[in-house]
Amino acid sequence: VCRKHLQEIPSSSSNVSTSFTWDWDSSKTSEFLSGMGVSVLKKDKLGNENTPQDLLVSSPCPPQKRQKVKEKERDFVIVRRPRLLREAESGVSWDTLPDELLLAIFAYLPLNDLLKVSLICKRWHRLSFDESLWQTLDLTGRNLLPGVIGQLLPAGVTVFRCPRSCIGNPLFKTSKPLRVQHMDLSNCTVSVADLQSILCLCERLQNLSLEGLVLSDDIIKSIAKNLSLMRLNLCGCSGFSAEALELMLSSCSMLEELNLSWCDFTATHVKAAVNHVTSKVTQLNLSGYRQNLQIPDVKTLVERCPFLVHLDLSDSVMLKPECFQYFHQLIFLQHLCLSRCYQISPAALVELGKIPTLKTLQVFGIVTDSSLQLLKETLPDMKINCSHFTSIARPTVGSKKNHEIWGIKCRLTLRNPSG
């Protein structure tokens, strides 16, 4: 590739195509950034100029020329203002830098600063929203005013982390499908209609977490369009029918991790889950269904999902030691959770030690401290009650300060004003 001198590259070059367009309106953009908690740069009026003209290499400015005036007009001084676009005798103007170089510089900017430089000029605005800069975005715990999501997600975001945020109407200006593949909206404050307006544009999702949200049949049907979905966390969700659940599970045949714990399910929902979950699933959480999960459901589940490695059936009070025979059929089972399954006695748990692959057993609430110690001595090769919480399909495990979801780190994240 032939390298040209910077001075030979036209200032209006557009070497990197951008599929995202944000209508330039400085006042509206300022309001948008303020809504995200980003202070706006104070700048001089740019008029029709495209780029800032500060030099990368500073050079002394020539003294301003004063024109001679008549004696009677000596109180007035006429100063010739230097042309804004005039090149300095030495140094390189920002205007001459190609798009690729500016993008490389912008790639080092944190989200706050990237949003600020988008206000500098039209060209920088276009480049600051190039899709190459917006692959990963973290807006955890933010108050996102109407229009914010609709502006940012179409910029090319593929990884979107936004739990515990208050999300206003997205106000998408396009009906084009989004590129988002990994999205966490757990425990957000968002209306069903606004959530549907986001998910109806998602067709490439591989990982999705909607923990704690009120959903609808339309939302479940939108999820069903993501045929490449591998991890789905719907823990604590409500608002959708058993028929919609059946459709989604039948469509999402690539699911490997599924968390349907503590949803607002009836016995019909539970049967739809165990009868239609894909056979490829390796980690499954169906805890919290009290009387609605029966021993025949366990039998059906084991027959459908022979590759289960991690199974959580906690808080299913109808389960008895009779269901242990089905666990023995799971030749890959390593982690089993039966906490608060009160019809299972501590003595009966010893039988689970015959499962050669089983490494961990969670049985909180059904063993006393003394019986727990005896159980650990009886099953020395098994870790018992080592974890209170499940990690199945959950995006972030551990510290909330971790900016990763499903092992992917988000580069763009808003810093708190305090630093």
Side-chain angles (χ1 to χ4, degrees):
V1 178
C2 179
R3 295 185 177 179
K4 294 184 177 181
H5 191 274
L6 289 180
Q7 299 289 348
E8 297 176 358
I9 300 177
S11 62
S12 60
S13 63
S14 179
N15 298 320
V16 179
S17 61
T18 55
S19 59
F20 175 77
T21 302
W22 187 359
D23 295 336
W24 174 257
D25 187 326
S26 181
S27 62
K28 291 183 178 179
T29 303
S30 299
E31 294 175 2
F32 163 69
L33 298 182
S34 298
M36 296 180 63
V38 178
S39 58
V40 180
L41 286 174
K42 294 181 179 179
K43 57 179 178 25
D44 297 330
K45 294 182 180 180
L46 295 175
N48 294 325
E49 303 302 331
N50 272 339
T51 54
Q53 297 303 317
D54 295 336
L55 298 179
L56 294 176
V57 181
S58 60
S59 60
C61 298
Q64 296 178 342
K65 296 182 179 180
R66 297 188 177 185
Q67 293 184 352
K68 295 182 179 181
V69 296
K70 296 179 180 180
E71 186 70 20
K72 61 180 179 181
E73 297 175 347
R74 66 178 56 188
D75 292 336
F76 298 93
V77 177
I78 301 176
V79 179
R80 178 181 298 171
R81 297 179 61 188
R83 291 179 58 193
L84 190 58
L85 286 175
R86 180 175 294 173
E87 292 282 349
E89 294 180 0
S90 62
V92 178
S93 168
W94 284 100
D95 193 39
T96 63
L97 296 181
D99 288 357
E100 291 91 344
L101 186 52
L102 282 174
L103 284 174
I105 296 172
F106 288 177
Y108 287 93
L109 297 179
L111 179 55
N112 304 57
D113 295 335
L114 184 61
L115 291 172
K116 289 178 181 179
V117 300
S118 71
L119 292 176
I120 297 298
C121 61
K122 292 181 179 179
R123 183 185 178 215
W124 282 29
H125 183 275
R126 171 176 59 82
L127 291 175
S128 65
F129 280 91
D130 185 85
E131 61 185 30
S132 65
L133 303 175
W134 291 85
Q135 297 289 313
T136 60
L137 177 62
D138 185 346
L139 296 178
T140 298
R142 298 290 171 173
N143 182 22
L144 305 176
L145 297 181
V148 172
I149 295 296
Q151 294 281 11
L152 296 183
L153 289 189
V157 176
T158 60
V159 181
F160 185 42
R161 183 173 185 255
C162 194
R164 304 182 302 281
S165 293
C166 183
I167 301 177
N169 191 331
L171 298 175
F172 287 105
K173 296 181 180 180
T174 175
S175 58
K176 184 179 179 181
L178 300 174
R179 297 190 177 187
V180 181
Q181 298 177 18
H182 317 275
M183 183 161 64
D184 178 14
L185 300 179
S186 301
N187 300 302
C188 281
T189 300
V190 58
S191 71
V192 172
D194 292 342
L195 182 59
Q196 165 61 4
S197 68
I198 297 173
L199 289 171
C200 71
L201 297 180
C202 297
E203 298 179 356
R204 303 183 182 184
L205 290 172
Q206 297 179 20
N207 299 308
L208 176 63
S209 179
L210 301 176
E211 183 167 338
L213 301 186
V214 177
L215 310 181
S216 67
D217 282 2
D218 287 338
I219 289 176
I220 295 297
K221 291 175 183 177
S222 293
I223 297 175
K225 296 179 182 178
N226 295 270
L227 304 183
S228 298
L229 196 61
M230 293 186 294
R231 297 184 184 93
L232 177 61
N233 179 21
L234 297 183
C235 172
C237 290
S238 61
F240 55 95
S241 66
E243 291 77 15
L245 176 65
E246 178 180 329
L247 171 65
M248 182 193 70
L249 293 177
S250 299
S251 300
C252 299
S253 59
M254 301 298 291
L255 277 173
E256 296 177 3
E257 297 184 31
L258 177 62
N259 190 336
L260 293 176
S261 61
W262 295 99
C263 292
D264 186 19
F265 279 3
T266 63
T268 305
H269 284 83
V270 173
K271 291 191 179 300
V274 300
N275 283 292
H276 295 89
V277 63
T278 175
S279 61
K280 294 182 179 179
V281 70
T282 60
Q283 300 188 43
L284 178 64
N285 189 342
L286 280 177
S287 62
Y289 293 115
R290 306 293 184 177
Q291 291 88 4
N292 289 330
L293 184 68
Q294 306 280 338
I295 292 180
D297 297 323
V298 176
K299 179 178 183 295
T300 301
L301 187 62
V302 168
E303 291 174 350
R304 281 193 60 83
C305 308
F307 303 110
L308 281 170
V309 174
H310 191 166
L311 178 61
D312 190 342
L313 300 178
S314 300
D315 297 279
S316 301
V317 298
M318 302 304 294
L319 298 189
K320 300 178 181 179
E322 290 92 299
C323 66
F324 289 1
Q325 58 181 312
Y326 305 120
F327 299 148
H328 282 276
Q329 299 175 21
L330 297 172
I331 62 175
F332 300 103
L333 185 63
Q334 296 182 19
H335 312 284
L336 180 62
C337 305
L338 297 172
S339 297
R340 294 168 297 280
C341 295
Y342 296 114
Q343 295 199 55
I344 299 176
S345 65
L349 295 173
V350 176
E351 183 184 342
L352 295 175
K354 299 178 182 179
I355 302 177
T357 56
L358 196 60
K359 296 180 179 179
T360 67
L361 177 64
Q362 315 305 327
V363 286
F364 292 100
I366 61 177
V367 292
T368 62
D369 291 341
S370 57
S371 58
L372 175 61
Q373 184 60 37
L374 181 60
L375 187 62
K376 288 182 177 181
E377 294 175 357
T378 306
L379 305 174
D381 297 328
M382 190 180 302
K383 293 182 178 180
I384 303 174
N385 287 3
C386 57
S387 176
H388 285 84
F389 305 102
T390 180
S391 61
I392 296 176
R394 284 208 163 111
T396 304
V397 179
S399 173
K400 291 183 178 180
K401 295 183 179 179
N402 183 359
H403 295 299
E404 293 186 355
I405 56 173
W406 295 290
I408 305 171
K409 186 174 182 179
C410 293
R411 187 187 76 83
L412 290 180
T413 179
L414 282 178
R415 298 178 309 220
N416 291 322
S418 58

